[in-house]
Amino acid sequence: MIFCVEDDANIRELILYSLQSTGFEAIGLCDHKELEQKLQEITPSLILLDVMLPEKDGFEIIKSLRSSPKTKNIPLIMLTAKSSEFDKVHGLDLGADDYITKPFGIMELVARVKALLRRSNPPKETQNSINYAGITIDTQKHEVICDNEHINLTLKEFELLKKLLSNHGIVISRDTLLDEIWGLSFYGETRTVDAHIKTLRQKLGEKGNIIETIRGVGYKIS
């Protein structure tokens, strides 16, 4: 089930028609109140969220969704008329998985929905390991196995890979990676992250391609 939160009835109906005609179950909601009510009844597989909503805008709604254990992992695409880089980065930093700027093509919207749903299955994780796309991280032994071969990573490379795999499909900004892996003393030195991503990709070989660069923002595992 896909929720489409959009206050413009014409746009909402067009999106619903397009999703339903391509095989998705989808319902339309016009504001945060209807969204909150519907979330009490069902947890959707994905939310399409307009930014410019009455009373409570999309950015505030993202904050609420990501702060709740029940809704923090729901895939979310922003629909926004705000095309500035700042607004896009702000939405991604708050926890949006993707954004589409209005006006948008319906075929692109459906393609983005399908792509996000494909990559939104979380990696299998046990108490001591994370497994995804042929990569296994043993968090207790601090070992990484890629395609059945042990990969020798530095401590920072290990923590970087662990952070990205644990948040599979979610964009993580360079500043967030710096803060959580290197600490505040490295604040602003985003080249440190880029350099470690480069060597990490090289060590992972062909699997290094799953680390996707989000231009002007950061990185994610695709």
Side-chain angles (χ1 to χ4, degrees), residues 57-177:
D57 68 22
F59 294 134
E60 293 179 276
I61 292 174
I62 292 174
K63 287 182 182 179
S64 298
L65 291 173
R66 293 312 186 221
S67 65
S68 169
K70 182 180 178 181
T71 58
K72 68 179 183 179
N73 293 319
I74 298 175
L76 189 150
I77 299 177
M78 293 190 310
L79 305 177
T80 175
K82 296 186 173 184
S83 59
S84 73
E85 182 179 5
F86 173 81
D87 290 313
K88 295 174 183 177
V89 172
H90 182 49
L92 292 170
D93 280 344
L94 288 175
D97 298 294
D98 199 357
Y99 62 84
I100 302 178
T101 303
K102 297 179 181 179
F104 51 81
I106 289 299
M107 292 180 64
E108 179 188 1
L109 172 66
V110 173
R112 295 279 193 97
V113 167
K114 290 180 178 179
L116 180 53
L117 288 173
R118 280 197 302 268
R119 65 177 187 263
S120 63
N121 293 323
K124 298 178 182 178
E125 184 172 353
T126 64
Q127 183 177 0
N128 298 320
S129 68
I130 302 171
N131 304 283
Y132 177 71
I135 300 173
T136 298
I137 296 180
D138 189 316
T139 57
Q140 191 172 43
K141 297 180 180 178
H142 273 242
E143 292 181 347
V144 175
I145 298 175
C146 181
D147 287 339
N148 299 316
E149 292 187 8
H150 284 271
I151 305 298
N152 185 25
L153 299 182
T154 66
L155 176 60
K156 295 304 183 185
E157 290 167 352
F158 180 89
E159 293 296 330
L160 187 57
L161 180 61
K162 177 184 174 183
K163 180 68 176 179
L164 291 169
L165 283 179
S166 298
N167 294 275
H168 162 241
I170 299 174
V171 180
I172 305 178
S173 70
R174 290 177 174 85
D175 286 339
T176 297
L177 293 171

